[in-house]
Amino acid sequence: MRRIFIAGNWKMNTNFQEAKELIDAIYQQTNSHDIDVAVCPPMPYLSSVSNYIKENEHQKSLQIKVGAQNMHWEEKGAYTGEVSGTMLQDVGCTYVVLGHSERRALFSETNNGINKKIHKALALGLLPILCIGETLEEREKGKEKEIIEKQLLEGLTDLLPSQIETCTLAYEPVWAIGTGKTASPEIAQDMHAFIRKTLTEKYGKNVSDSVRIQYGGSVKPQNIQELIAQNDIDGALIGGASLKADSFSKIIEICSLSGK
């Protein structure tokens, strides 16, 4: 049974005071839930947010883990502006988001580079969230599954099945990120089922049954129930709605009551 995983990608938003207020409000608006929850703050606040959660979690019923939004594949060196996985570990990160479409489009990240980051993250014990997704142009040309398969298999190149089982995949159609447009539950399920089928064919049913696949792209309380009800959707990677405690908490609540 795959455990539901809800993660908030704060992107380049929040200072530490805003982060504390957001976390406090999430705690206040949620109870204990049998799902996994993570927040991914901007790099400068990872340590502060991680410490703040550790200081307060013993009083709370909801368990929140911390994830980073990116990392480098080397542990140290002359890489000005970069952050290593060992540094992420040192400040308390459990997860790391890799291959987000904004990183691919705005910072020219490649499948090969993302694969190197995944290898390093797993070697260090960090849990990767590998993002994959097609653009509107690629979907309109009927290439969405070709693109997804390429991103998936090249991102997972040379990983052992046991390593892949510890990864989370996040299917995020680029045309739905921050646009207010959401893939219909049927479109989302079709792509998630295709991803799981590809995993089965390449790595076997045990891997396919184990890997969690989140949906991302304008997720909000109004659409999460239909999305999470789909057989192959195991959670959500949430952008804008994760910056508002009421919406993020409502999503957690709905998912916890989904019966999955």
Side-chain angles (χ1 to χ4, degrees), residues 169-180:
L169 302 177
Y171 168 62
E172 296 193 301
V174 179
W175 46 272
I177 298 174
T179 63

Side-chain angles (χ1 to χ4, degrees), residues 137-150:
E137 181 182 6
E138 289 163 345
R139 174 165 280 272
E140 288 177 340
K141 289 181 178 179
K143 293 184 175 182
E144 65 273 16
K145 291 183 177 178
E146 175 187 337
I147 295 298
I148 293 302
E149 183 176 27
K150 181 178 176 64

Side-chain angles (χ1 to χ4, degrees), residues 165-219:
E165 288 176 359
T166 67
C167 296
T168 297
L169 302 177
Y171 168 62
E172 296 193 301
V174 179
W175 46 272
I177 298 174
T179 63
K181 298 179 181 179
T182 309
S184 68
E186 294 76 19
I187 289 175
Q189 167 58 23
D190 177 64
M191 293 302 293
H192 280 240
F194 172 74
I195 293 165
R196 208 171 296 285
K197 176 174 178 286
T198 303
L199 289 173
T200 301
E201 293 172 350
K202 181 69 175 178
Y203 303 107
K205 193 171 187 301
N206 287 342
V207 170
S208 176
D209 287 346
S210 299
V211 172
R212 295 188 289 190
I213 310 175
Q214 298 174 315
Y215 173 77
S218 297
V219 175

Side-chain angles (χ1 to χ4, degrees), residues 41-256:
M43 289 285 186
Y45 305 112
L46 285 172
S47 179
S48 300
V49 169
S50 178
N51 288 335
Y52 189 72
I53 288 173
K54 288 176 183 176
E55 290 167 2
N56 290 276
E57 64 182 355
H58 66 283
Q59 310 169 33
K60 311 298 180 181
S61 54
L62 179 69
Q63 299 297 304
I64 301 175
K65 301 296 185 184
V66 175
Q69 298 175 23
N70 190 30
M71 61 171 274
H72 197 276
W73 58 78
E74 295 289 355
E75 291 190 38
K76 61 177 65 176
Y79 302 101
T80 300
E82 291 292 331
V83 174
S84 72
T86 51
M87 295 172 183
L88 299 183
Q89 283 183 310
D90 195 39
V91 297
C93 288
T94 299
Y95 297 98
V96 57
V97 177
L98 298 172
H100 193 279
S101 62
E102 291 160 0
R103 299 295 312 175
R104 294 176 188 265
L106 300 177
F107 301 98
S108 303
E109 292 201 0
T110 65
N111 291 332
N112 178 61
I114 293 162
N115 175 250
K116 290 162 71 174
K117 294 180 181 185
I118 292 174
H119 275 271
K120 178 55 70 174
L122 289 169
L124 294 170
L126 291 166
L127 300 176
I129 301 173
L130 169 60
C131 300
I132 54 179
E134 81 282 3
T135 64
L136 181 60
E137 181 182 6
E138 289 163 345
R139 174 165 280 272
E140 288 177 340
K141 289 181 178 179
K143 293 184 175 182
E144 65 273 16
K145 291 183 177 178
E146 175 187 337
I147 295 298
I148 293 302
E149 183 176 27
K150 181 178 176 64
Q151 291 178 350
L152 176 65
L153 296 183
E154 291 187 6
L156 299 178
T157 295
D158 293 332
L159 291 177
L160 298 172
S162 59
Q163 292 178 304
I164 296 171
E165 288 176 359
T166 67
C167 296
T168 297
L169 302 177
Y171 168 62
E172 296 193 301
V174 179
W175 46 272
I177 298 174
T179 63
K181 298 179 181 179
T182 309
S184 68
E186 294 76 19
I187 289 175
Q189 167 58 23
D190 177 64
M191 293 302 293
H192 280 240
F194 172 74
I195 293 165
R196 208 171 296 285
K197 176 174 178 286
T198 303
L199 289 173
T200 301
E201 293 172 350
K202 181 69 175 178
Y203 303 107
K205 193 171 187 301
N206 287 342
V207 170
S208 176
D209 287 346
S210 299
V211 172
R212 295 188 289 190
I213 310 175
Q214 298 174 315
Y215 173 77
S218 297
V219 175
K220 43 190 176 287
Q222 292 86 342
N223 58 34
I224 187 61
Q225 188 158 9
E226 284 189 300
L227 289 165
I228 203 66
Q230 305 303 310
N231 288 339
D232 293 295
I233 298 180
D234 306 312
L237 181 59
I238 302 165
S242 71
L243 295 170
K244 299 176 181 177
D246 55 348
S247 58
F248 193 60
S249 299
K250 185 65 175 176
I251 289 169
I252 294 170
E253 183 76 18
I254 291 169
C255 288
S256 70

